[in-house]
């Protein structure tokens, strides 16, 4: 599938970003994405350091179709809500992140990255909604937590209108959140 190939290429690009910053990070990334325990351990560490953009880069390294392989039994509710909160916080900053990384960045590159970020985020949230025990966890989301999901989805649809159908499915899965 074409989208899957694009996501794998995108994830490979993110892995190269990690590798360019520190060669050891490339090997570490393989560990972080190997199972839920390692992912959660890294996720919590980055959170304790206040590194929202680093958390986002970790999410970008995840191929959405492989999320079920990382979280084989379930994704804990706090991780699920942290992911939604991180996306709602960081996605609006993607253009600045790209422009800063590229010394100003070409506007076409920035727009392309926003669309890629939007597609990845919606596909990631869709993958989260398909994990085991998601329905049970979603029942206990607060209005604020559902609001993070909706905010992330709204940003994504604003960046790439073609994502509306998939975003609508995720909205339905979180309990028809109308925040």
């Amino acid at each position: 599938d074409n989208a899957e190939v694009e996501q794998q290429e995108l994830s490979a690009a993110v892995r190269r970003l990690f590798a360019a910053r520190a060669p050891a990070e490339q090997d570490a990334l393989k560990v972080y994405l190997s199972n839920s325990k390692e992912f959660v351990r890294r996720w919590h560490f980055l959170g304790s350091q206040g590194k929202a953009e680093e958390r986002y880069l970790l999410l970008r390294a995840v191929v959405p179709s492989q999320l079920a392989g990382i979280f084989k039994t379930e994704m804990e509710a706090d991780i699920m809500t942290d992911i939604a909160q991180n996306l709602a916080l960081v996605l609006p900053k993607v253009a600045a992140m790209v422009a800063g990384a590229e010394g100003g960045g070409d506007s076409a590159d920035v727009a392309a990255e926003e669309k890629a970020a939007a597609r990845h985020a919606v596909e990631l949230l869709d993958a989260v909604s398909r994990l085991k025990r998601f329905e049970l966890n979603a029942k206990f989301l607060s209005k604020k937590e559902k609001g993070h999901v909706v905010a992330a989805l709204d940003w994504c649809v604003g960046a790439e209108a073609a994502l509306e159908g998939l975003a609508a499915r995720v909205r339905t899965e979180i309990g028809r959140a109308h925040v």
Side-chain angles (χ1 to χ4, degrees):
D1 164 88
N2 224 9
E4 174 102 7
V5 170
E6 286 180 22
Q7 281 302 330
Q8 288 176 346
E9 290 171 1
L10 175 63
S11 294
V14 172
R15 287 184 186 100
R16 284 192 298 278
L17 274 175
F18 275 97
R21 292 185 353 203
E25 193 70 23
Q26 179 70 14
D27 291 333
L29 188 58
K30 290 177 187 173
V31 173
Y32 305 149
L33 300 179
S34 66
N35 62 63
S36 62
K37 180 180 178 184
E38 293 299 329
F39 180 91
V40 169
R41 187 175 62 78
R42 183 65 177 170
W43 184 259
H44 284 306
F45 172 77
L46 292 173
S48 72
Q49 301 295 309
K51 296 184 176 187
E53 290 180 5
E54 293 289 325
R55 277 181 151 189
Y56 174 72
L57 289 175
L58 179 61
L59 291 176
R60 282 300 293 268
V62 175
V63 176
S65 63
Q66 296 174 356
L67 193 65
I70 297 170
F71 291 91
K72 291 178 176 77
T73 55
E74 70 175 302
M75 178 183 281
E76 296 173 11
D78 67 318
I79 300 300
M80 181 176 69
T81 58
D82 277 358
I83 287 172
Q85 183 177 12
N86 179 269
L87 292 173
L89 174 72
V90 178
L91 282 172
K93 300 177 185 178
V94 166
M97 288 170 65
V98 172
E102 297 178 0
D106 178 289
S107 62
D109 290 342
V110 171
E113 177 55 26
E114 281 188 334
K115 286 183 177 187
R119 175 159 302 284
H120 180 266
V122 171
E123 289 177 358
L124 185 68
L125 289 170
D126 181 55
V128 168
S129 75
R130 295 174 190 272
L131 293 173
K132 294 176 182 174
R133 299 179 53 101
F134 172 81
E135 190 175 322
L136 178 65
N137 287 336
K139 287 179 183 178
F140 298 103
L141 291 177
S142 69
K143 187 173 184 175
K144 182 178 179 180
E145 291 165 337
K146 287 181 181 181
H148 291 308
V149 176
V150 171
L153 292 171
D154 288 349
W155 183 90
C156 292
V157 171
E160 178 65 79
L163 297 171
E164 178 55 47
L166 188 55
R169 196 199 84 66
V170 175
R171 284 186 191 100
T172 299
E173 289 298 318
I174 64 161
R176 301 184 191 281
H178 296 289
V179 180

